[in-house]
Each structure stands twice: as C-alpha cells, then as structure tokens.
Amino acid sequence: GQSPIDESEVDVPEESWMGLWPLKILDMRRASGQARWAAVLLCVASATAVTPVLQLLTAFCAPAAIAPVELNTAGDFVILTKSGITTISDISVITGNIGVSPITQKAITGFALSDNPENKFATSSQVTGLVYASDYIDPTPAMMTLAIHDLEAAYTDATARDTSGPVNSSKFLDVNNGQIAGEYFTAGVYTWRSYVEFGADIYLNGSSTDLFIFQVGGYLSLGTNARVILLEDATGRGAPIAANIVWQVQGHAEVGTDAHLEGVLMTKEYAAFAVGSSLHGRIFAQWAATLGGENTITESLQPSPPPPSLPPPNPRPRPIPPPPP
C-alpha cells in the first residue's frame, strides 16, 4: 500500500553515504528499481572513502583473467608438425628449432640437411637452430614424442577455452561472420564457428601482458599483403606480443603472398605459407607445414617491433579504420 516515490524528490547528500550507505542503497532500490541501483553504485564509487564492501563488489564483478596456453616442450620449436615440413626454395630464414614426429626426417624436404656426426639432429643453412626428427639417435625420439604430446595438449587447451563476454555476444562470437579485415581486437577469447578470412590488416590493441585466443572452427586465410598489427594501449606496458597470441584452427591455415601473421598458429590440418609471407610466433601443424619460398619464420621470444606506417590507435572499441589512400 505504499505510494510510489517521485525520484526527482529523492535527495542523496554525499555525506549520507558515510557509514550508512548500504541502508540507503536498499531504500533507493525499493524506490526506483534496477536503474536506481546502478546509479547508487556509481555514486558510491565516486565517494572519497572506498569501503571494504565496495572493494568486495569490485573484486566480485571483475572479469576473470585469461590463463596462458602452456606449450611446455613444444615451445622449444618454431615449427613442429606430425607429417612433414617442406620449403620450396632455399632462401627462407627460420629462427628456432624445427622438428617432425612420428614421421621421419625424410619428410623434411628442401632444406639440404646436414646430419651431425652423432646423428642426433641435423642443420640447414635456412635454419638458425637445429632440425629434429623421430628417427634420429637417442634421446631425440623420446624428446620428439613428448613435444608432439605437448603440442596436442596445447591445442586441446586452446580449443576448450570459453568465449569471452556474455553468451552469444557479437563482440567475441562470430565477429563479422569471419570476414575480419580492418577489425580491431582487445584481449579475450574469440570464437568463430566457421572460417576466418582477412584480405587487409587487422589490429590487436592491448599491452604486453594481454592474452588473445582466436578459436577458428573452419579454415584461416590471410590474403596478399594482409598483416596482423600490434598496437599499444594506454597502459604504457608495451604492445601485445606474439607469445601471448594463439590461433587455434580446426581446419587448415593459408598465409598469402607477403602477408604477415603474429602468434602461435595451431592447426588441426596443414599450414601453408605463400612466397614472401612471414610469421612471428610458432607453427604447430598436426599435418604438415609448407613454405612457398622467401619466408621469414621467427620464434616468439621477444616483443615484435612495430610495423611501419601504423595508423594511430583509436580509443573507441573496434573502430573502423580510415579508407586506404
């Protein structure tokens, strides 16, 4: 039987929040519902004294941090596959170890391998690192078996991550139906239930501690000259780094001519890099990896240098980049 309260007549002096603000919240909520409840919380947050209750609410409502995808011994390789590694030319530059298992070293082609005297590994003029396969002398076979086990475990972990944001949120689920050229992404777990393509640059905006996981239900395709560009946010902690970016692809991945990918690429099928394309990160393919020639594949141990001629960061979420000149 209580008569409604006119919200315009409710006076909430700032000093009334000191000591008895929880009771005031209850009164205000009865008077005007959820909208007033939100306003009250904002008013509390602006008070000069932050109470333990407010701190508890803040901690309870804060989003959970994303745990990194652990690579374990798979992280000792810049290219690791089950079925082979092929390069079409002899002028690619690969920084880091490469390896195959359970297939043998005969599936590593185009590298002009030189076996070491103990036959535990091989070397190549194109690889700044060592080349391993399952049929080299002990302890290499056991090492390769464990690395492939860790590759599979990392892929499974990345696949199982929950999509960020509310259920069915278009910010994280099926962004632009997989046509993501020009999109800006902040830290989180993004999921596409089908393929992902981009024929122009995409932008990852964040800090060096932010994690990005991209779950692709079909294939991944980068068009000619398309790039993943890393932008530093306002925290001043540096731009995102390739080691904190994971592409989990249930099909195959194709990186077009002169395109550039950042992050750890995990494919259920093959990974193919066209002439002049590059990657800063790692290639983990459960089939094979193919390099078309003149490729630069660099393991993700250090932050990426900024690409040239970057557009300035835009503070709006996922802004539309300016049209090309």
Side-chain angles (χ1 to χ4, degrees):
Q2 185 177 3
S3 59
I5 298 176
D6 184 354
E7 294 184 13
S8 64
E9 296 178 357
V10 177
D11 183 22
V12 188
E14 181 176 348
E15 61 271 15
S16 68
W17 297 113
M18 305 305 292
L20 297 178
W21 65 264
L23 297 178
K24 276 292 181 184
I25 288 178
L26 293 177
D27 288 341
M28 299 286 282
R29 189 179 185 189
R30 282 195 298 267
S32 52
Q34 293 294 340
R36 177 61 68 182
W37 173 246
V40 166
L41 287 181
L42 288 174
C43 187
V44 173
S46 66
T48 55
V50 179
T51 69
V53 177
L54 179 59
Q55 292 173 339
L56 178 61
L57 285 172
T58 302
F60 181 78
C61 296
I66 305 172
V69 175
E70 296 294 343
L71 305 181
N72 295 311
T73 65
D76 295 334
F77 296 85
V78 66
I79 306 178
L80 180 63
T81 82
K82 293 182 178 181
S83 300
I85 305 171
T86 297
T87 182
I88 306 302
S89 76
D90 60 358
I91 54 176
S92 291
V93 178
I94 301 171
T95 304
N97 300 324
I98 69 174
V100 297
S101 183
I103 206 162
T104 67
Q105 59 91 17
K106 290 182 179 179
I108 304 176
T109 60
F111 288 92
L113 298 180
S114 297
D115 293 338
N116 84 310
E118 297 179 343
N119 203 33
K120 293 182 179 180
F121 56 84
T123 58
S124 168
S125 61
Q126 298 185 70
V127 180
T128 303
L130 302 178
V131 181
Y132 294 95
S134 63
D135 56 338
Y136 286 119
I137 299 300
D138 288 340
T140 301
M143 179 187 75
M144 294 308 302
T145 298
L146 179 58
I148 291 296
H149 172 272
D150 290 342
L151 175 156
E152 293 172 336
Y155 180 90
T156 300
D157 179 15
T159 303
R161 297 303 181 91
D162 293 331
T163 307
S164 296
V167 175
N168 296 325
S169 166
S170 60
K171 177 176 172 58
F172 294 97
L173 179 65
D174 293 331
V175 175
N176 209 32
N177 295 317
Q179 298 290 334
I180 62 171
E183 293 285 343
Y184 283 65
F185 297 92
T186 54
V189 180
Y190 295 82
T191 303
W192 289 268
R193 290 170 288 192
S194 186
Y195 66 87
V196 168
E197 294 179 336
F198 54 102
D201 297 345
I202 67 170
Y203 307 90
L204 274 56
N205 189 26
S207 75
S208 61
T209 59
D210 285 338
L211 275 76
F212 299 76
I213 299 177
F214 300 100
Q215 301 170 328
V216 181
Y219 64 82
L220 171 68
S221 176
L222 279 69
T224 299
N225 294 319
R227 301 177 299 169
V228 175
I229 295 178
L230 309 180
L231 301 176
E232 182 178 1
D233 64 13
T235 63
R237 296 197 298 264
I241 60 174
N244 290 338
I245 303 165
V246 173
W247 298 86
Q248 175 266 316
V249 183
Q250 292 189 26
H252 64 269
E254 295 183 352
V255 180
T257 301
D258 295 326
H260 176 72
L261 184 63
E262 291 275 346
V264 180
L265 175 62
M266 304 179 178
T267 65
K268 189 70 172 178
E269 298 177 1
Y270 66 84
F273 285 72
V275 174
S277 61
S278 58
L279 173 138
H280 181 222
R282 302 182 190 277
I283 304 171
F284 294 160
Q286 298 195 38
W287 289 6
T290 302
L291 305 179
E294 303 178 38
N295 304 105
T296 301
I297 310 297
T298 307
E299 61 184 342
S300 51
L301 294 180
Q302 300 295 333
S304 301
S309 304
L310 293 184
N314 193 315
R316 295 177 300 159
R318 291 175 48 221
I320 299 174

